């Protein structure tokens, strides 16, 4: 079974890559050489295109073809064509076998270790954290059952997992719970491929790219491929492509072309913002490729158009966060060109400016971190992030930041500091800072044998640029502006290049390195990692700390890492140059990896709270809820579920059933809707007369069902896919407000047998009896009962309750007016028999 899941997961990635290659094949193949795209970079671009395009194409296809096997066959044909046609652009040649072998040797064990500390150590099949996976799993399961992709479940973008996972589940029997395990491992492998593609752009021919790749792989903090993580990682690769096309020779993109490329990217982002629709953005992308084909422009300006328009459109198609990622990448690239121009006039007074920036930015960042820490522990008065940034969001988005909203959850210096800290880690940040300071002090200038100052090598540009750009972007993130912390991956990539360049210039470039320097660096890194493990990570000195139980799970891996660090530290003192360089690189990279392992436990306490006693699995559901979900899937084919958001999470993910209300994540349920739902559950549980309880419950359900969301409307009507895909989903009303039914002129023309008024009437009368009626069922668990008594500013524990539901509650429900459909030790399912 697991072998089948692994094969289907690989097929999942291959289908999306092939679809993207089919789209990219529209443009002339010579553009790949003009833009200097390596095969790894082409694969990243192709997958980024195909990941989102596949969902849109399958969604449109499912409207016209109801047979899911025919949809799957069409996808296989399109993907196979793209893979075959673009083989010269992505297929490895015989000369690249050695490179591929080195990549596998470094990547496979690193990916396995990363998978373990990020997921495997905290999970046990089939129980895991799927709280963030509810939406895509629900959509995929619904697609597998009905052959139609729900356009409203996509929210503001098409999840890259829903369509292909759904079609594989509906045809080849892919188990979505198992897939959530294997998908993470393949995600990490893809991110490592993207890291290699990025360092290829910075170091096209230098062997230093392997050191940079190892540092990037060891410090990788992106462990799950979502639309957002794919967009930011592809943005990093985009930066590497721009760097590789910098004017290093007459055939590269000249500095004069930078303005054209920047303007092209800006126009692309503006058009995508105006269209505000994934399908239209895909049409824009295809139009740009067709234009390149018609013009047959494969020269310098064709490459500028390809990089300036196609790649940004691809990123916006993946996730709307690219409206932030693309400008940051362009600014970083322009900064690289500016610094290269400054250093080309060496010696120059501008070098003093670069040295000043390199020295001043780190203390400012440290000062902000100290202030945030002081505010966190009450030593400094705290600032309100929503008050600080509301004036900006009101100007850009037309709304202020209110407590409880997603903008509020992603704003503030505290959130930014935590997210930036867990992404970069203390080992990389401290060692890189000390390395840059050491480099500036020991190598202020290079002199030839006659004593004259000579021009710096390209490495100087790379080092100073990556350090200043990384520090500057860190400073912007620490301001706490909402969701700016999502650029942390770009910052990590920049600091990885800085660490590589410092390492190369101090230990690789200038012959044998002094033994004392090697020993000093090895000892410093080993001691820093050991101190973090002993004092913070593996051995928390207070058992009541929120992350104490998480660290117990990770302790064996951390201690093994420390032992390996000590062994490598001894090898740095040998005389053989290749051996001590490998040992030094290994100890730096392993120190970063040990740091990531320890931070993983702290990050989980930040995300989920303290791990309950005798609990070793990070999961928001248990065996009873999983049993309930499987029962509902087999016995309740037409049901709308009502419960607390945590219980509905596992039920929606495994059954594909619609819910009585929507939520974007478990902490952002609209308070008005939550209050209505809580009132219904409390009324069901009240020990009052049966008729009175039924009448009161039905009166409370009426306003809740009357404004039922567009997702449930689509599921019942099953004919509004095209208008749902083509309409702008971000113009939908806020969660919990009255939802006007979407226009369906196109869908009504295709399916005239169900007029819009009749479809709306079905929603209003779903509680009536009959074979075609949909049942509204309430799921009662100990957590549901606790949820009904929470205040608006309180939240449930992420972990499922350990106690059983009281037998008196089950007996009272059996004797009441609500038929009991299912019951076990922790769950009770009742049908609410209301009619209008």
């Amino acid at each position: 079974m697991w072998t089948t899941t692994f094969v289907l997961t690989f097929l999942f990635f291959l289908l999306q890559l092939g679809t993207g290659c089919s789209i990219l094949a529209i443009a002339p193949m010579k553009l790949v050489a003009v833009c200097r795209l390596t095969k790894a970079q082409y694969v990243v671009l192709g997958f980024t295109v195909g990941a989102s395009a596949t969902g849109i194409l399958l969604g449109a296809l499912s409207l016209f073809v109801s047979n899911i096997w025919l949809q799957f066959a069409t996808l296989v044909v399109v993907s196979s064509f793209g893979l075959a046609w673009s083989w010269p652009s992505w297929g490895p040649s015989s000369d690249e076998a050695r490179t591929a072998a080195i990549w596998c040797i470094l990547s496979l064990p690193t990916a396995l270790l990363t998978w373990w500390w990020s997921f495997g150590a905290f999970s046990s099949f089939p129980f895991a954290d799927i709280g963030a996976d509810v939406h895509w799993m629900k959509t995929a399961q619904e697609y597998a059952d009905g052959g139609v992709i729900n356009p409203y479940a996509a929210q503001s973008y098409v999840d890259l997992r829903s369509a292909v996972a759904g079609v594989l589940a509906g045809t080849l029997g892919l188990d979505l719970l198992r897939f959530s395990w294997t998908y993470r491992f393949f995600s990490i492998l893809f991110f490592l491929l993207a890291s290699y593609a990025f360092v290829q752009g910075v170091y096209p021919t230098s062997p230093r790219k392997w050191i940079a790749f190892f540092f990037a792989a060891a410090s990788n903090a992106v462990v799950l491929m979502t639309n957002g993580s794919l967009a930011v990682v592809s943005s990093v690769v985009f930066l590497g492509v721009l760097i590789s096309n910098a004017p290093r020779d007459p055939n590269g993109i000249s500095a004069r072309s930078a303005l054209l490329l920047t303007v092209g990217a800006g126009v692309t982002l503006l058009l995508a913002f105006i269209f505000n629709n994934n399908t239209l953005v895909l049409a824009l992308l295809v139009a740009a490729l067709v234009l390149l084909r018609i013009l047959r422009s494969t020269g310098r300006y064709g490459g500028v158009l390809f990089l300036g328009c196609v790649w940004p459109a691809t990123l916006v198609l993946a996730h709307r966060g690219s409206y932030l990622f693309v400008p940051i990448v362009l600014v970083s690239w322009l900064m690289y060109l500016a610094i290269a121009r400054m250093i080309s006039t060496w010696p120059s007074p501008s070098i003093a400016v670069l040295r000043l920036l390199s020295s001043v930015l780190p203390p400012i960042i440290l000062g902000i971190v100290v202030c945030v820490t002081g505010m966190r522990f009450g030593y400094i008065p705290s600032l309100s992030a929503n008050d600080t940034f509301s004036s900006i969001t009101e100007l850009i988005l037309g709304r202020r930041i209110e407590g409880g909203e997603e903008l509020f959850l992603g704003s503030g210096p505290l959130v930014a500091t935590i997210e930036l800290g867990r992404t970069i880690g203390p080992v990389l940040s401290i060692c890189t800072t000390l390395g840059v300071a050491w480099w500036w002090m020991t190598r202020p200038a290079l002199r030839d044998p006659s004593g004259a100052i000579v021009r710096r090598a390209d490495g100087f540009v790379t080092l100073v640029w990556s350090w200043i750009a990384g520090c500057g972007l860190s400073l912007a993130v620490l301001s706490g502006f909402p969701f700016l912390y999502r650029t942390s991956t770009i910052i990590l990539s920049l600091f990885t290049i800085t660490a590589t360049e410092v390492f190369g210039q101090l230990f690789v470039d200038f012959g044998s390195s002094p033994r004392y320097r090697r020993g000093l660096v090895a000892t410093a890194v080993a001691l820093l990692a050991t101190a973090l493990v002993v004092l913070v990570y593996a051995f928390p000195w207070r058992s009541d700390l929120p992350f104490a139980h998480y660290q117990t799970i990770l302790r064996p891996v951390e201690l093994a890492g420390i032992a390996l660090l000590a062994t490598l530290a001894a090898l740095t003192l040998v005389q053989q140059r290749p051996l001590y360089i490998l040992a030094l690189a290994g100890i730096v990279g392993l120190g970063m990896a040990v740091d990531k392992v320890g931070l993983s436990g702290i990050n989980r306490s930040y995300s989920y709270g303290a791990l309950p006693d005798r609990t070793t699995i990070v999961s928001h559901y248990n065996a009873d809820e999983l049993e309930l979900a499987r029962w509902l899937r087999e016995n309740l084919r037409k049901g709308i579920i009502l419960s607390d958001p945590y219980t509905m999470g596992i039920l929606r993910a495994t059954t594909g059933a619609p819910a009585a209300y929507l939520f974007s994540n478990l902490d952002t349920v609209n308070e008005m809707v939550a209050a209505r739902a809580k009132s219904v559950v409390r009324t069901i549980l009240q020990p009052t007369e049966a008729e009175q309880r039924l009448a009161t419950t039905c009166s409370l359900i009426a306003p809740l069902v009357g404004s039922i969301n567009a997702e449930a409307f689509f599921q019942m009507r099953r004919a509004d896919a095209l208008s749902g895909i083509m309409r702008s989903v971000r113009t939908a009303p806020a969660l919990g407000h009255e939802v006007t039914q979407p226009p369906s002129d196109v869908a009504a023309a295709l399916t005239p047998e169900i007029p819009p008024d009749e479809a709306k009437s079905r929603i209003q009368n779903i509680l009536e009896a009959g074979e075609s009626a949909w049942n509204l069922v309430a799921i009662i668990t100990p957590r549901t009962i606790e949820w009904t008594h929470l205040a608006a500013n309180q939240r449930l524990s992420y972990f499922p309750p350990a106690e059983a539901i009281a037998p008196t509650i089950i007996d009272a429900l059996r004797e009441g007016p609500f038929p009991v459909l299912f019951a076990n030790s922790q769950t009770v399912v009742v049908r609410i028999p209301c009619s209008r």
Side-chain angles (χ1 to χ4, degrees):
M1 186 66 178
W2 280 108
T3 302
T4 302
T5 305
F6 265 99
V7 172
L8 292 181
T9 306
F10 178 74
L11 180 60
F12 170 94
F13 281 83
L14 204 61
L15 288 173
Q16 292 186 326
L17 173 61
T19 303
C21 291
S22 296
I23 296 174
L24 292 179
I26 299 174
M29 285 294 180
K30 291 183 179 180
L31 281 177
V32 175
V34 171
C35 297
R36 297 183 177 182
L37 294 184
T38 65
K39 293 184 177 181
Q41 292 167 350
Y42 185 87
V43 169
V44 173
L45 178 60
F47 185 84
T48 307
V49 176
S52 298
T54 304
I56 297 175
L57 295 176
L58 282 176
L61 182 64
S62 66
L63 182 65
F64 302 98
V65 179
S66 60
N67 191 318
I68 194 170
W69 276 98
L70 188 55
Q71 299 171 28
F72 175 64
T74 304
L75 177 62
V76 170
V77 170
V78 172
S79 180
S80 300
F81 165 77
L83 292 174
W85 186 263
S86 61
W87 173 262
S89 299
W90 70 273
S93 62
S94 56
D95 297 336
E96 295 170 325
R98 181 173 177 272
T99 299
I102 296 175
W103 184 88
C104 289
I105 292 173
L106 293 175
S107 297
L108 291 177
T110 304
L112 184 61
L113 176 63
T114 305
W115 178 88
W116 176 254
W117 64 251
S118 64
F119 180 75
F122 302 101
S123 302
S124 177
F125 185 81
F127 305 109
D129 167 33
I130 62 171
D133 297 339
V134 171
H135 299 293
W136 80 261
M137 288 183 69
K138 187 261 182 195
T139 307
Q141 191 63 67
E142 179 188 337
Y143 178 35
D145 293 338
V148 181
I149 297 179
N150 189 336
Y152 302 106
Q155 299 180 21
S156 58
Y157 54 85
V158 180
D159 193 288
L160 59 89
R161 291 165 285 185
S162 301
V164 183
V167 78
L168 291 175
T171 55
L172 302 180
L174 175 66
D175 187 314
L176 295 181
L177 281 177
R178 291 180 183 270
F179 173 73
S180 67
W181 280 58
T182 56
Y183 178 77
R184 283 169 165 81
F185 179 74
F186 279 88
S187 296
I188 296 169
L189 283 177
F190 176 82
F191 291 142
L192 296 185
L193 178 65
S195 298
Y196 180 72
F198 167 65
V199 300
Q200 270 188 316
V202 181
Y203 302 111
T205 58
S206 172
R208 192 170 294 178
K209 65 184 176 185
W210 288 113
I211 298 176
F213 170 65
F214 178 63
F215 288 171
S219 61
N220 173 50
V222 188
V223 295
L224 177 63
M225 185 184 298
T226 61
N227 290 68
S229 61
L230 175 62
V232 70
V233 168
S234 186
S235 299
V236 172
V237 178
F238 180 40
L239 176 60
V241 172
L242 293 177
I243 296 299
S244 66
N245 282 276
R248 300 181 183 180
D249 58 60
N251 295 323
I253 295 181
S254 65
R256 291 176 295 181
S257 302
L259 179 60
L260 178 61
L261 192 150
T262 305
V263 170
V267 172
T268 302
L269 295 180
L270 180 60
L271 289 175
F273 183 79
I274 294 174
F275 290 163
N276 201 21
N277 181 275
N278 291 320
T279 306
L280 296 180
V281 173
L282 178 59
L284 173 66
L285 173 63
V286 172
L289 295 173
V290 170
L291 179 62
L292 288 172
R293 168 69 69 175
I294 294 175
L295 297 178
R296 299 185 180 274
S297 178
T298 57
R300 177 181 302 175
Y301 291 104
V304 170
L305 180 62
F306 185 83
L307 294 178
C309 298
V310 172
W311 208 308
T314 298
L315 297 176
V316 173
L317 183 66
H319 193 266
R320 62 182 180 272
S322 300
Y323 290 116
L324 176 65
F325 304 148
V326 173
I328 287 177
V329 165
L330 291 175
V331 170
S332 300
W333 177 59
L334 293 175
M335 183 182 297
Y336 178 87
L337 296 179
I339 292 177
R341 181 65 59 88
M342 293 167 62
I343 296 176
S344 65
T345 59
W346 179 274
S348 170
S350 58
I351 304 302
V353 177
L354 299 178
R355 185 168 186 167
L356 179 64
L357 289 174
S358 300
S359 305
V360 170
L361 290 177
I364 296 176
I365 293 173
L366 179 61
I368 294 177
V369 173
V370 171
C371 291
V372 170
T373 304
M375 288 188 290
R376 176 67 178 84
F377 292 100
Y379 297 107
I380 301 175
S382 60
L383 300 176
S384 174
N386 43 334
D387 290 340
T388 304
F389 298 112
S390 282
S391 57
I392 301 177
T393 58
E394 192 170 17
L395 177 63
I396 299 176
L397 304 177
R399 57 184 298 189
R400 294 180 60 83
I401 302 176
E402 302 293 343
E405 292 185 338
E406 286 186 279
L407 278 176
F408 177 75
L409 294 176
S411 66
L414 177 61
V415 174
T417 302
I418 293 174
E419 294 292 340
L420 190 62
R422 76 177 183 86
T423 301
I424 299 176
V427 170
L428 176 61
S429 56
I430 293 174
C431 293
T432 304
T433 302
L434 294 177
V436 171
W438 189 1
W439 183 86
W440 274 111
M441 289 186 296
T442 58
R443 299 182 184 276
L446 296 178
R447 297 179 181 273
D448 61 16
S450 64
I453 297 178
V454 299
R455 180 180 173 180
R456 294 278 186 175
D458 289 340
F460 178 71
V461 177
T462 304
L463 190 154
V464 175
W465 161 74
S466 59
W467 177 245
I468 294 178
C471 289
L473 187 54
S474 300
L475 202 59
V477 169
L478 290 175
S479 68
F481 190 77
F483 295 118
L484 197 59
Y485 67 82
R486 290 184 174 178
T487 62
S488 299
T489 302
I490 302 177
I491 300 175
L492 177 62
S493 302
L494 292 170
F495 284 155
T496 299
I497 296 301
T498 305
T500 303
E501 201 57 49
V502 170
F503 183 90
Q505 295 200 29
L506 292 180
F507 299 105
V508 179
D509 291 349
F510 302 101
S512 298
S513 176
R515 181 178 295 183
Y516 82 90
R517 180 186 296 171
R518 290 179 262 143
L520 178 62
V521 171
T523 303
V525 175
L527 288 178
L528 177 58
T530 303
L532 288 171
V533 167
V534 173
L535 300 178
V536 181
Y537 297 153
F539 301 97
W541 299 104
R542 289 176 50 188
S543 59
D544 60 336
L545 291 174
F547 58 86
H549 292 295
Y550 293 100
Q551 302 297 15
T552 303
I553 300 174
L554 298 169
R555 184 176 300 161
V557 178
E558 294 170 334
L559 294 180
I562 291 300
L564 186 55
L565 276 176
T567 303
L568 291 176
L571 290 177
T572 60
L573 301 179
V574 300
Q575 293 296 330
Q576 289 81 0
R577 186 169 179 268
L579 184 59
Y580 76 67
I581 290 178
L582 290 177
L584 273 175
I587 198 171
V588 174
L590 185 60
M592 298 176 188
V594 171
D595 198 23
K596 291 297 181 183
V597 175
L599 287 172
S600 174
I602 296 179
N603 179 57
R604 269 160 180 73
S605 66
Y606 166 66
S607 301
Y608 308 114
L611 195 67
D613 293 335
R614 298 182 299 278
T615 300
T616 58
I617 299 172
V618 177
S619 174
H620 71 280
Y621 63 97
N622 55 23
D624 288 318
E625 290 174 318
L626 187 60
E627 179 189 7
L628 165 65
R630 288 170 174 167
W631 182 89
L632 286 174
R633 174 162 172 74
E634 294 175 0
N635 297 278
L636 193 67
R637 306 299 294 179
K638 282 190 171 185
I640 299 174
I641 56 178
L642 172 64
S643 186
D644 64 273
Y646 291 75
T647 302
M648 288 201 304
I650 176 63
L651 299 180
R652 296 180 74 207
T654 55
T655 66
Y661 59 89
L662 278 179
F663 51 89
S664 59
N665 61 58
L666 300 180
D667 295 325
T668 58
V669 180
N670 180 273
E671 289 300 333
M672 181 181 68
V673 173
R676 289 177 176 176
K678 291 177 183 178
S679 298
V680 172
V681 177
R682 282 196 297 262
T683 304
I684 293 174
L685 296 172
Q686 282 179 356
T688 58
E689 186 179 351
E691 293 183 2
Q692 179 183 352
R693 200 189 329 171
L694 178 59
T696 304
T697 301
C698 292
S699 65
L700 292 173
I701 285 176
L704 185 65
V705 177
S707 60
I708 199 166
N709 54 74
E711 180 183 350
F713 172 82
F714 166 81
Q715 280 197 314
M716 295 170 198
R717 190 171 177 222
R718 298 301 241 189
D720 199 32
L722 186 59
S723 64
I725 292 174
M726 294 301 296
R727 68 191 291 270
S728 176
V729 292
R730 258 177 287 166
T731 60
L735 295 179
H737 293 192
E738 292 291 319
V739 178
T740 303
Q741 300 305 336
S744 53
D745 298 337
V746 178
L750 294 170
T751 56
E753 69 279 7
I754 307 179
D757 292 340
E758 181 181 343
K760 187 181 297 185
S761 176
R762 288 192 179 187
I763 287 183
Q764 296 171 349
N765 298 286
I766 58 174
L767 304 179
E768 292 182 352
E771 294 183 358
S772 62
W774 282 62
N775 293 304
L776 178 64
V777 296
I779 293 92
I780 311 297
T781 70
R783 180 161 47 188
T784 309
I785 298 173
E786 181 185 358
W787 179 63
T788 61
H789 296 91
L790 289 181
N793 60 345
Q794 292 179 313
R795 58 173 290 181
L796 291 168
S797 169
Y798 187 83
F799 299 93
E803 70 277 5
I805 193 169
T808 55
I809 295 178
I810 299 179
D811 294 339
L813 289 173
R814 291 186 186 278
E815 297 173 357
F818 308 102
V820 176
L821 306 179
F822 175 87
N824 60 21
S825 62
Q826 281 195 327
T827 62
V828 180
V829 181
V830 298
R831 184 172 66 86
I832 304 177
C834 298
S835 61
R836 300 177 68 90

